[in-house]
Amino acid sequence: MRLRRLVARGFRNLADLDREAPSPGLVLLGANAQGKTNLLEAIYYPVLFRSFRGAADGQVVGGAPGFSVEVHIGGGPAGTVAASYSGRKKRVTIDGEEMDRLADSVGQWLAVTFLPADVGLASGPAVERRQYLDRVLSLSDRRYLRALISYRGALAQRNSALRQGRVEVAQAFNGALAAAGAGLVRWRLDWVASAAEQFAAELEILGEQGKARLQYRGRLELADTAGWEAVLAEALPEDRARSTTTAGPHRDDLLLEVNGRRLRDYGSTGQHRSAAIALKLIEITSLTRARGTEPALLLDDVFAELDGERQRRLAARLLESGDRQVFITSPRRDELPANLDLPVWVVESGKVRS
C-alpha cells in the first residue's frame, strides 16, 4: 500500500499542502519544531482517524476553524480516504462516500509509526503494550475491533456499578465480558504464537546479543468463555475493594525478555529501542499477512541514540522490501545512515519543499 498524494489543510502548524509522494517514500529534513512530525501525523491520521500522539482533535487544529486530511492511496481497498474536523464534528469519507460508523472506516489506509515515545513499548507500563496489541489486531481483523468495542462497553458498565457499590448489577455484565473477552484473549495468544520467532530474529538482525523471548502474560483460562465465571468470582472481593474490574484482558501484558531478563526492568536504552523497532516490524508483518498488502512505515527520528552499526543494520532492514514505502524524519542528512537512499523533502516553519 502506498501514499500517492497527500492533501492537508489547517493541520497543526503545516501550511496547506497538496503534494504527490514518491513511491519509495521520503526523508523529511528540518530542525526541531518545524513540522516534520506534524507531517507524519497528517499522513497517519486517516489510519485510525485520530492523532498518533493521543491528542484530541481540537488540539490538532491549526489557525483555521478546523482541519482536513485526504490521502490518495495505491494498493489498498480504497482509492481515497478523507477526514475533516470542525468544532466537535468529525466527518469521514471513503472514495467520496460519507461513513456513518468510524469502526467501518478504520484500516482503509494502513501505516505503521515509530516515534521516540514508542521506546515505551519495551520500557514502559503494560498499558502501552496492550494498546499496541489492540491496534495491530483491530487493523488486522475487524472482528477483533468489534469484540474490543463490546468488551470495553461491558467493562465500563461493570466498573460504574462497582463504583456505586451495586455488586449484583456489576455481576450482570459478567456474561457480556466473557463473550467478548474470551475472543480477545484467543486472538492475542494466537498473535503471540505467530510473532515470537520473528521478535527473536529481529533483535538478532538489529545486532542485539542473547536469546530473546516474546510471551503473553495473563490468565490463559480466559481464552474460553467457560473459564470466566470462576476467575471473576475469585476476583470479586478485590473488585469490590478497588471499585474496578481487576481480571480480564484489560489487565494483561506482553513479556519481552533477553536471556531470561525482562527488558522493562533490566534492558539498556539501546535494547529498549531495538525491541520497540522489532515490535513495529512485526506489526508490518502482521498487517501484511492479514490484509494482503504492506503498510507504509512512518519513522520519526528513528536513528537517534543508535550507534553506527545499529543504524546500518536498521536501514538495511527497513529498505529490504521493495514493496515498502518509508517516511523518515531527521534534523540533518548527516545523521542518517549512508546506505539510506530516499528522496528528500525539507520542512521549515510548516512549509514543505523538495
Side-chain angles (χ1 to χ4, degrees), residues 137-151:
L137 292 171
S138 292
L139 289 172
S140 296
D141 192 325
R142 193 156 285 143
R143 293 174 298 173
Y144 183 94
L145 177 58
R146 287 195 291 265
L148 182 62
I149 292 170
S150 296
Y151 182 82

Side-chain angles (χ1 to χ4, degrees), residues 173-185:
F173 291 98
N174 289 3
L177 275 186
L184 298 183
V185 176

Side-chain angles (χ1 to χ4, degrees), residues 65-277:
F67 69 83
S68 64
V69 179
E70 181 179 298
V71 291
H72 295 251
I73 305 162
T80 304
V81 180
S84 62
Y85 173 81
S86 180
R88 297 183 179 180
K89 182 175 176 58
K90 183 183 296 187
R91 180 173 179 264
V92 172
T93 62
I94 308 295
D95 289 332
E97 180 182 352
E98 186 164 0
M99 307 301 291
D100 295 328
R101 296 198 311 167
L102 204 59
D104 294 333
S105 310
V106 165
Q108 297 290 327
W109 159 235
L110 290 176
V112 172
T113 65
F114 183 82
L115 311 174
D118 287 334
V119 172
L121 287 173
S123 63
V127 64
E128 297 198 34
R129 289 176 288 278
R130 287 195 298 270
Q131 289 172 349
Y132 166 84
L133 277 174
D134 288 338
R135 181 180 64 253
V136 174
L137 292 171
S138 292
L139 289 172
S140 296
D141 192 325
R142 193 156 285 143
R143 293 174 298 173
Y144 183 94
L145 177 58
R146 287 195 291 265
L148 182 62
I149 292 170
S150 296
Y151 182 82
R152 287 176 173 172
L155 181 65
Q157 296 280 1
R158 191 176 193 271
N159 286 343
S160 176
L162 286 170
R163 287 193 298 271
Q164 298 172 48
R166 303 170 67 189
V167 177
E168 290 185 2
V169 174
Q171 290 179 297
F173 291 98
N174 289 3
L177 275 186
L184 298 183
V185 176
R186 286 196 302 272
W187 263 301
R188 290 178 179 184
L189 288 173
D190 288 345
W191 180 88
V192 170
S194 69
E197 185 176 346
Q198 185 181 351
F199 179 73
E202 296 292 0
L203 284 184
E204 182 177 356
I205 290 170
L206 292 171
E208 299 299 339
Q209 303 296 316
K211 183 178 180 181
R213 185 171 71 141
L214 174 68
Q215 187 177 5
Y216 191 73
R217 188 175 187 179
R219 300 289 293 264
L220 302 188
E221 63 266 42
L222 295 184
D224 187 338
T225 53
W228 279 74
E229 183 177 358
V231 170
L232 289 176
E234 177 188 332
L236 187 58
E238 186 175 2
D239 291 354
R240 295 178 67 177
R242 299 177 59 179
S243 298
T244 192
T245 304
T246 59
H250 63 288
R251 306 280 295 181
D252 293 351
D253 196 1
L254 278 178
L255 185 66
L256 314 177
E257 291 183 346
V258 172
N259 287 336
R261 295 163 67 89
R262 288 184 64 185
L263 285 179
R264 180 185 174 186
D265 298 326
Y266 301 105
S268 66
T269 300
Q271 285 178 321
H272 288 157
R273 199 168 187 85
S274 293
I277 291 169

Side-chain angles (χ1 to χ4, degrees), residues 59 63 74 88 94 105 122 210 319 325 329:
Q59 296 175 295
R88 297 183 179 180
I94 308 295
S105 310
L319 299 177
Q325 189 180 39
T329 71

